[in-house]
Amino acid sequence: MSSYPPSGPPPTTTLRQRLADLRGPAVPPRPLDARALAALAANPGCGRRALLDGAGVDKTALASALGSPSAFGQSQFAIVRGNAFEARVKGDGGAELLRLVHEHLGAGSEPPGPGAHVPDLTAAGPEGRAARTALALREATAAAAADGTWTLLDHPMLALEVAGSPAYLEPDAVVVHPDGRWTVVEIKSFPMIDGAADAAKVGAAARQAAVYVLALEKTAGKLASAVVGHTVLLVCPKDFSNLPAASPVDVRRERAVTLRQLERLTRVEELAAALPEGLSFDPARPAEELTEAVAAVSAAYAPECLAACELAFHCRERARAADAVTALGRSVRGELGTLTTVEEALAAAAGSGGTEDPTAASLHRAARLRAEALEAAACPC
Amino acid sequence: MSLLNTLARLEAVRAGRARPLATVRHRHLSERPLVLVPLTTAGEAGAPLGALVGTDPARPRLLVVPQPRDRDLRWAFLADLADEVLPYVEGYADDVERVERTETDPETGAKSKVEAELCLDAPQLIVPSRAGIEYVRLLGRSMRFRRTAEEDPENPYPAPSRVPLLGRWFTHLGERSRVPGASMLLSATELLGRHWATGQSNLEDQHLGALLSWIVPPEGESGAEAALRAELGRDRDGQLLVPPAGPATDPAFDNKLLAPAMSRYDAARSGDDPRAVARAEAAVRELVAEQMRPAWRAVWQSLELLRTLPPGERAEERWTRDRWSYTGHRDRVRAGEPPQPRRDDAVTAAQKLATRETEQVRLDAQEALDDPLVMAGRRLSGEAFAGEVTEIVMGWTESKRPSPRPLVTVATEDRPQLAEGGGKVFRSLEGRPQAAQFVRFEEDRRLIVLRLLDKMGRGREPEPGSVPEKGDRVCWTLFEHDARGGPKLPDPEKTPWTHGGPPGSRAAAPLPDTVTDEDIL
Ligand code: SF4
């Protein structure tokens, strides 16, 4: 198993014990998945999320126990459609998928023929599957070097140790090229219309794929001839059909951001150390106690959390209760500088701020202009 | 967002209800808009689930696809939608006025006046949210390349006859909606968001129910509380009290209500009791209708709210541009031109971009001139200033026939970004811009001396009313009031091959999308 940070010491048993205490005695750690790891990159400043994820706390259960259940759910129509499309793309021994990889990222190699390998990756448990995948990757790389074989790994299992907790990641597919290159393939069910897909969705897919690239690099590092491609292949339905369309996506930037994030996850130890004894996020505890426990770790709420974090409704409620301007958006917060509460900002607008702070002075001027304009228009509101 | 808008949001937080961002209505509203509330099937690209559509708030037309995986049912839906939307859209095509417009001869560059038709009015579609606008575009794209049985007798999956035409109109409306200030296709959330600031973030304002809750909270409740309920409130079965305004549905609705109802419909269809099929279909229709009705009412309520604002003077001028756009597309359809291409060629793309930039500048200027609250934002950022005229000193040009060039001194507390040594400023004089030259600051920038340059008539003495008087309140802008045209681009026919060559040089007419047996749409 690989670990981050690459050179860091293995987590101490005391940390492991500490994190188990934070989760609650009867609660197994919730393994991190690629979505969770990618989402960390979406709000790097948040210690609360880093600690909860690092400790393997089930944030969905915690949010419900706090009385602000998360609203993430998936329609079964979407799930059925996604599965059907993936099955179609991978059908026929992966011939179509390999063809797409060769077409877009083949780099002049021989096209994959009927001799392409699709090794069986079944094994018991995530550890077993991860070990099986590592072996298959090794064999595939050797086979590529020997006679230029293409290999398709269907739902491989990759292991990554993140701040002492194991994370098991399951990309849709990994392809080993004849030149020993490994390419991550992401199959999504949003359409690519006239060659372009929704930019926000492509961005999310790229962040997720970057996590797989990092996990693969750990395995590849041990093999002389293996290289992990920093361009992944995104496969989506073409236009309004069920036919696949593919597009290479460069994930170098996402990879760099996620790598930095994962390295920072070692903060978990510091964050945990700073917490009072006996504190716990066990969803079985009463809501007030949990609210207090969660409040002990500082957060960095922004409305973007609503789309990325299970705890968002809770954090939003706290931010609003604290009168924090960040509840109105990151840009608002940026604009108001040191005025971090609505009350402070409105006081400055009313002219109590003095003239030293330029933001306060502008706000005061803005309030005068606004009042003057509203009066001029005699708006009934 | 400007600081002024941020301030309005802060005020809204404290007031517990939305605060105005505008004192006039900055978008044209049709007397008879067509409201469209579409729903889509999760996980499918452009497989509609249902729609409420119509021009009468009391009587929407309900369209539902009881099984979106069934191609025939989807075609039937789109055919019905075309029946509802096309007569409305085409209803504006024949009432025209004749106007003169200037055309440039492509050979000589000479300008000449030609008479052209301009439709007196144009259609206006209102959808609930930004996502609804994107959905109209998507439907347009999915329909415009379809072939009907008349066009292509060999096609195993012919589209109903009017569907491709609806696709072309939806595409046109979707494309036009990207032009700042254009109003042929608008969303309720964007309309409301332009005119009111809530005490929540921009992101949360995308929820029409929550946004309305801030603007008109129910008796005895704050906007914040009502918005929270609209956003998250669920009944005992876990269903949202206010369903999303689409086109996406709530997963809990899909999983708990819609999927079982569709399975019952499928089961009934595989039996042979037509009454059972009718019952099962009615059940799906009612479920889907229930999801759309709140959004339908919310859109009409939004329109009512917007009508309480007096129309901005220059919004009408922008609507005339929409009428030109509508007339132009009408002509292209009538001339039998092929549907809009999948991707714009380089010149068209550059032209569209240039248009959007010009129109943004025009919109910003016009909104400021129409609305003191918007002008306040420009004053705050140093792009305009207002104040009282304290002194007029007459002066003239030194030519044979001297023209008036009076010096006007304005006292202001604003801080315009004027640099010593010139720069022009403008004020609106009966709707037309009058220019002045910045001469100097006096008394520590509290006084600004300007020299008036035009709009004073041909004589030696300025025409009455053309020069402000001592004591008048005036507002000057540093930006021009009329947008200038964008960069001159080569005509489409002269596109260099490096930019894709002239349109149509590569493929004559766009090919229809490949349709396979298992296609979802
Ligand atoms: S919702 Fe809360 S815990 Fe999650 S990222 Fe945002 S601030 Fe951090």
Side-chain angles (χ1 to χ4, degrees):
Chain A
M1 190 178 279
S2 43
S3 90
Y4 277 91
S7 55
T12 54
T13 23
T14 41
L15 174 61
R16 215 169 271 231
Q17 187 51 48
R18 184 83 180 98
L19 296 182
D21 291 345
L22 288 174
R23 272 194 311 273
V27 188
R30 190 190 141 79
L32 287 161
D33 57 18
R35 229 178 256 263
L37 287 174
L40 281 173
N43 191 359
C46 182
R48 185 174 293 174
R49 177 164 188 146
L51 177 74
L52 293 172
D53 278 346
V57 172
D58 181 343
K59 295 205 295 304
T60 307
L62 178 60
S64 299
L66 283 164
S68 306
S70 81
F72 296 120
Q74 226 191 337
S75 162
Q76 66 182 68
F77 299 120
I79 297 172
V80 168
R81 158 79 159 149
N83 292 343
F85 179 66
E86 186 176 337
R88 190 187 197 290
V89 171
K90 287 183 176 168
D92 194 15
E96 174 71 0
L97 188 56
L98 285 167
R99 192 189 63 72
L100 288 168
V101 172
H102 176 259
E103 180 188 330
H104 291 278
L105 298 167
S109 58
E110 280 293 307
H117 283 191
V118 186
D120 176 18
L121 298 177
T122 47
E127 289 101 331
R129 289 182 57 198
R132 182 72 198 81
T133 298
L135 180 65
L137 280 167
R138 221 171 299 143
E139 287 170 355
T141 310
D147 49 17
T149 310
W150 286 83
T151 305
L152 168 65
L153 276 71
D154 183 2
H155 280 288
M157 183 68 89
L158 309 173
L160 189 66
E161 199 169 288
V162 181
S165 322
Y168 288 101
L169 312 168
E170 197 178 338
D172 291 325
V174 170
V175 168
V176 178
H177 297 244
D179 60 4
R181 196 155 38 100
W182 302 355
T183 292
V184 171
V185 178
E186 270 295 281
I187 302 171
K188 296 286 181 196
S189 58
F190 53 81
M192 211 177 274
I193 293 172
D194 299 333
D198 182 289
K201 289 178 179 157
V202 173
R207 282 193 295 275
Q208 205 178 324
V211 178
Y212 300 139
V213 167
L214 285 171
L216 274 176
E217 280 175 355
K218 288 289 123 186
T219 315
K222 301 187 191 106
L223 298 173
S225 54
V227 187
V228 183
H230 287 180
T231 298
V232 304
L233 194 69
L234 178 65
V235 181
C236 297
K238 179 174 163 32
D239 301 333
F240 304 95
S241 77
N242 218 2
L243 307 169
S247 168
V249 181
D250 182 348
V251 299
R252 271 176 300 179
R253 199 176 53 83
E254 289 80 4
R255 182 190 159 277
V257 172
T258 311
L259 182 60
R260 223 176 310 131
Q261 272 316 107
L262 291 180
E263 280 165 359
R264 285 182 56 180
L265 269 187
T266 45
R267 282 190 309 151
V268 168
E269 189 154 7
E270 295 158 37
L271 290 166
L275 295 179
E277 279 300 320
L279 190 103
S280 169
F281 303 113
D282 186 345
R285 301 224 175 171
E288 307 86 76
E289 228 181 287
L290 288 173
T291 304
E292 223 170 276
V294 167
V297 204
S298 70
Y301 172 79
E304 285 78 6
C305 291
L306 293 168
C309 183
E310 293 83 352
L311 236 51
F313 293 130
H314 175 77
C315 294
R316 179 176 73 176
E317 188 196 308
R318 303 319 301 163
R320 283 179 177 170
D323 206 27
V325 295
T326 173
L328 295 176
R330 281 206 179 111
S331 62
V332 170
R333 181 184 176 154
E335 235 173 8
L336 293 176
T338 55
L339 305 167
T340 55
T341 68
V342 174
E343 217 41 52
E344 277 169 16
L346 284 173
S352 76
T355 46
E356 304 88 64
D357 180 3
T359 314
S362 310
L363 211 50
H364 184 42
R365 257 169 50 70
R368 279 210 328 265
L369 284 170
R370 183 170 158 81
E372 179 193 317
L374 284 173
E375 211 172 296
C379 177
C381 327
Chain B
M1 205 190 298
S2 78
L3 195 60
L4 215 63
N5 292 3
T6 297
L7 176 64
R9 279 194 193 268
L10 294 167
E11 286 180 0
V13 173
R14 178 184 281 174
R17 61 187 303 156
R19 300 282 300 141
L21 274 186
T23 64
V24 297
R25 173 157 46 75
H26 289 291
R27 297 292 179 274
H28 170 87
L29 281 189
S30 162
E31 276 168 24
R32 200 171 150 265
L34 182 82
V35 171
L36 170 66
V37 175
L39 280 191
T40 188
T41 313
E44 314 278 0
L49 174 63
L52 284 177
V53 57
T55 52
D56 179 351
R59 291 191 2 211
R61 172 90 190 269
L62 169 66
L63 303 173
V64 174
V65 186
Q67 176 46 272
R69 308 179 71 77
D70 183 321
R71 187 200 316 264
D72 293 336
L73 295 176
R74 292 196 311 267
W75 278 147
F77 169 92
L78 294 174
D80 287 347
L81 189 62
D83 280 348
E84 210 55 40
V85 175
L86 284 177
Y88 172 78
V89 169
E90 290 168 340
Y92 294 92
D94 295 326
D95 295 334
V96 296
E97 58 179 321
R98 306 214 128 253
V99 290
E100 272 197 343
R101 64 188 284 176
T102 317
E103 271 185 12
T104 318
D105 188 299
E107 299 280 288
T108 62
K111 297 199 173 174
S112 57
K113 298 260 185 217
V114 292
E115 217 184 47
E117 277 192 355
L118 172 61
C119 294
L120 285 172
D121 204 355
Q124 183 175 54
L125 241 74
I126 314 277
V127 293
S129 63
R130 178 79 235 161
I133 291 185
E134 287 310 314
Y135 198 63
V136 168
R137 290 178 63 84
L138 187 77
L139 285 180
R141 168 61 185 81
S142 84
M143 290 186 282
R144 72 177 191 266
F145 298 118
R146 299 297 174 190
R147 295 281 182 88
T148 62
E150 301 95 79
E151 290 166 330
D152 180 5
E154 305 284 281
N155 191 338
Y157 307 108
S161 59
R162 304 257 286 165
V163 163
L165 184 59
L166 179 64
R168 298 176 62 176
W169 275 110
F170 270 7
T171 301
H172 184 72
L173 295 175
E175 208 47 36
R176 179 73 192 161
S177 76
R178 296 191 163 179
V179 175
S183 300
M184 276 204 287
L185 170 60
L186 294 169
S187 72
T189 49
E190 286 172 306
L191 276 169
L192 294 175
R194 173 64 195 88
H195 297 87
W196 283 277
T198 67
Q200 61 185 7
S201 74
N202 245 330
L203 273 168
E204 287 146 324
D205 282 351
Q206 305 306 311
H207 189 297
L208 179 55
L211 180 54
L212 270 173
S213 301
W214 274 99
I215 299 172
V216 272
E219 271 294 309
E221 208 176 9
S222 80
E225 287 161 350
L228 198 62
R229 201 157 36 81
E231 194 185 24
L232 296 178
R234 288 184 186 267
D235 65 14
R236 255 185 289 137
D237 299 327
Q239 295 301 316
L240 283 170
L241 298 176
V242 180
T249 48
D250 179 37
F253 166 75
D254 282 10
N255 297 341
K256 278 208 182 136
L257 301 178
L258 187 59
M262 275 184 185
S263 309
R264 283 194 290 276
Y265 173 73
D266 289 342
R269 282 218 295 179
S270 62
D272 48 15
D273 179 0
R275 276 179 322 181
V277 177
R279 265 202 310 276
E281 179 176 349
V284 176
R285 284 177 70 85
E286 186 46 33
L287 273 180
V288 175
E290 261 315 294
Q291 289 292 296
M292 297 187 295
R293 277 186 200 119
W296 173 264
R297 286 189 294 265
V299 172
W300 287 103
Q301 190 190 359
S302 307
L303 293 176
E304 256 169 57
L305 280 166
L306 287 155
R307 286 190 207 279
T308 61
L309 292 170
E313 219 177 291
R314 292 166 178 83
E316 243 6 71
E317 192 258 346
R318 293 194 296 278
W319 178 246
T320 306
R321 289 166 198 278
D322 282 313
R323 287 164 52 205
W324 277 113
S325 164
Y326 170 74
T327 312
H329 192 61
R330 176 201 74 158
D331 294 344
R332 283 189 289 277
V333 170
R334 283 184 177 172
E337 284 186 26
Q340 301 92 327
R342 286 188 171 75
R343 273 186 247 187
D344 290 329
D345 58 85
V347 171
T348 311
Q351 257 159 356
K352 280 184 180 170
L353 201 64
T355 305
R356 280 174 213 156
E357 278 166 11
T358 317
E359 290 304 314
Q360 186 66 57
V361 174
R362 184 197 310 278
L363 180 66
D364 290 346
Q366 292 191 336
E367 288 192 346
L369 294 169
D370 281 349
D371 186 344
L373 198 46
V374 180
M375 188 62 90
R378 306 297 290 261
R379 288 167 62 192
L380 184 63
S381 59
E383 296 168 282
F385 61 95
E388 199 180 301
V389 175
T390 56
E391 195 182 6
I392 305 282
V393 178
M394 275 316 291
W396 285 267
T397 53
E398 291 175 9
S399 56
K400 254 192 238 150
R401 288 182 46 207
S403 310
R405 288 288 182 272
L407 286 176
V408 180
T409 306
V410 182
T412 181
E413 290 178 34
D414 295 344
R415 293 265 171 271
Q417 294 176 344
L418 288 165
E420 298 278 354
K424 271 191 182 179
V425 297
F426 309 88
R427 69 162 180 153
S428 181
L429 189 63
E430 282 157 12
R432 305 195 35 226
Q434 179 179 42
Q437 183 143 35
F438 169 62
V439 180
R440 62 179 175 269
F441 287 117
E442 282 177 2
E443 290 190 19
D444 195 21
R445 299 177 78 103
R446 277 194 301 274
L447 296 180
I448 297 173
V449 182
L450 307 168
R451 179 178 291 117
L452 284 190
L453 298 176
D454 57 13
K455 302 280 185 303
M456 288 170 287
R458 291 164 177 272
R460 188 173 187 280
E461 293 308 316
E463 277 176 10
S466 65
V467 178
E469 284 169 26
K470 194 172 165 192
D472 282 358
R473 271 202 66 85
V474 286
C475 181
W476 293 90
T477 69
L478 279 63
F479 52 86
E480 296 192 25
H481 296 187
D482 290 321
R484 292 264 171 87
K488 185 89 182 80
L489 294 157
D491 290 326
E493 295 72 34
K494 292 186 190 149
T495 313
W497 63 270
T498 43
H499 288 76
S505 61
R506 216 177 289 146
L511 296 168
D513 286 334
T514 36
V515 182
T516 61
D517 222 13
E518 49 184 320
D519 271 5
I520 271 314
L521 199 97

